């Protein structure tokens, strides 16, 4: 099964992806995580992507498409498929993805579109904290750690993504509307989209997401 998650920054894509991956035995391919790994390894791609990421702009399509196509080739190995989180983010990327999947005799089974009001996004993103050691995810307001800025698993201090500051978030939201939101119409025309209200609690979103996936899973 191939699942795509669409939604603005702070919509809860990462959280829902983890839940869906566990339930359906899928691998999680997050373009943002892959780029952050490239950056931490100081690769040419990581260096090239850095300026775009820090200012909240999209990394150019050719770089992203090449990176993701490589990952997709081995993504479903030992699993029942994969989830794309944060890719595609432009019509150009979506077309390249469709063409490449078609060539391999595959297709996207469902596009889950998490819809969240703009007014909620900034607080959701700027409050995000994570543990670099165990991957634990927190939010200063919505799921705070037991001790201020400390991982509950005893790993130490939590960190905040460099691009999760208010100014960059606003630019990321603007770019979402300009470049990514047109994908909603693109996938609606293809008939494989499932719109999910992401304004509610994580558990409530999860119920809608699972109902959507169950429908296509047959
Ligand atoms: P994310 O972790 O999904 O919020 O992505 C962090 C940053 O990585 C974005 O603000 C972009 O600069 C870059 N990025 C991630 N995915 C893509 C993509 N599909 N196309 C272009 N840039 C991307």
């Amino acid at each position: 099964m191939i699942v795509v998650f669409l939604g603005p920054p702070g919509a809860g894509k990462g959280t829902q992806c983890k839940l869906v991956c566990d339930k359906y035995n899928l691998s999680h391919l997050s373009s943002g995580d892959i780029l952050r790994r490239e950056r931490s390894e100081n690769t040419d791609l990581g260096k090239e992507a850095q300026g775009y990421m820090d200012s909240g702009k999209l990394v150019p399509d050719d770089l992203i498409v090449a990176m993701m196509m490589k990952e997709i080739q081995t993504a479903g190995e030992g699993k029942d498929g994969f989830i794309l989180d944060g890719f595609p983010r432009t019509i150009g990327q979506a077309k390249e993805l469709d063409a490449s999947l078609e060539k391999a005799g595959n297709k996207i089974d469902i596009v889950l579109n998490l819809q969240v009001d703009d007014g909620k996004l900034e607080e959701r993103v700027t409050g995000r904290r994570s543990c670099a050691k165990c991957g634990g995810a927190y939010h200063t307001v919505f799921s705070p750690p037991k001790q201020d800025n400390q991982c509950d698993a005893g790993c130490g201090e939590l960190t905040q993504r460099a691009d999760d500051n208010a100014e960059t978030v606003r630019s990321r939201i603007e770019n979402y509307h300009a470049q990514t939101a047109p994908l909603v119409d693109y996938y609606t025309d293809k008939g494989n989209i499932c719109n999910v209200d992401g304004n509610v609690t994580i558990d409530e979103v999860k119920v809608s997401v699972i109902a959507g996936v169950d429908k296509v899973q047959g």
Side-chain angles (χ1 to χ4, degrees):
M1 179 162 55
I2 302 178
V3 179
V4 168
F5 264 85
L6 262 188
K13 297 190 293 294
T15 305
Q16 294 298 328
C17 280
K18 287 196 183 80
L19 299 170
V20 173
C21 279
D22 289 347
K23 183 165 168 58
Y24 299 95
N25 190 35
L26 306 173
S27 26
H28 180 193
L29 284 188
S30 153
S31 49
D33 284 352
I34 298 166
L35 285 169
R36 281 184 284 278
R37 189 184 71 210
E38 295 281 337
R39 279 181 64 166
S40 69
E41 289 170 0
N42 215 19
T43 64
D44 287 345
L45 171 60
K47 285 186 230 163
E48 216 166 333
Q50 179 154 2
Y52 297 100
M53 295 173 78
D54 289 347
S55 58
K57 294 202 181 94
L58 291 188
V59 175
D61 279 359
D62 55 340
L63 295 179
I64 290 291
V65 168
M67 174 185 95
M68 292 306 288
M69 293 312 162
K70 197 170 138 219
E71 297 282 336
I72 285 171
Q73 271 173 18
T74 52
E77 281 175 9
K79 297 273 183 179
D80 296 327
F82 56 88
I83 297 190
L84 294 171
D85 166 10
F87 176 83
R89 252 179 165 101
T90 64
I91 296 282
Q93 292 177 17
K95 287 186 172 163
E96 296 255 21
L97 174 64
D98 280 344
S100 152
L101 290 178
E102 199 181 326
K103 220 165 143 188
N106 284 324
K107 65 168 178 47
I108 296 168
D109 293 286
I110 186 167
V111 176
L112 290 156
N113 178 33
L114 290 187
Q115 299 171 307
V116 176
D117 301 338
D118 272 9
K120 291 199 166 74
L121 298 174
E122 193 174 318
E123 186 188 18
R124 283 196 181 189
V125 175
T126 53
R128 290 204 290 220
R129 300 290 183 275
S130 65
C131 174
K133 285 195 187 136
C134 73
Y138 300 87
H139 191 282
T140 50
V141 179
F142 306 123
S143 54
K146 291 192 183 103
Q147 259 190 48
D148 194 29
N149 213 36
Q150 296 290 318
C151 179
D152 289 353
C155 308
E157 284 227 331
L158 299 177
T159 54
Q160 181 180 23
R161 265 171 55 177
D163 60 346
D164 276 353
N165 61 77
E167 193 188 334
T168 310
V169 171
R170 283 195 284 272
S171 150
R172 285 158 64 198
I173 294 170
E174 269 172 34
N175 290 332
Y176 168 79
H177 285 296
Q179 292 170 280
T180 308
L183 290 180
V184 175
D185 281 346
Y186 178 84
Y187 289 121
T188 302
D189 288 347
K190 290 191 173 285
N192 57 358
I193 202 162
C194 170
N195 293 309
V196 172
D197 180 7
N199 290 293
V200 291
T201 65
I202 292 176
D203 283 343
E204 287 167 326
V205 177
K206 184 182 167 190
V207 169
S208 309
V209 162
I210 286 174
V213 179
D214 277 348
K215 252 191 231 160
V216 296
Q217 213 203 12

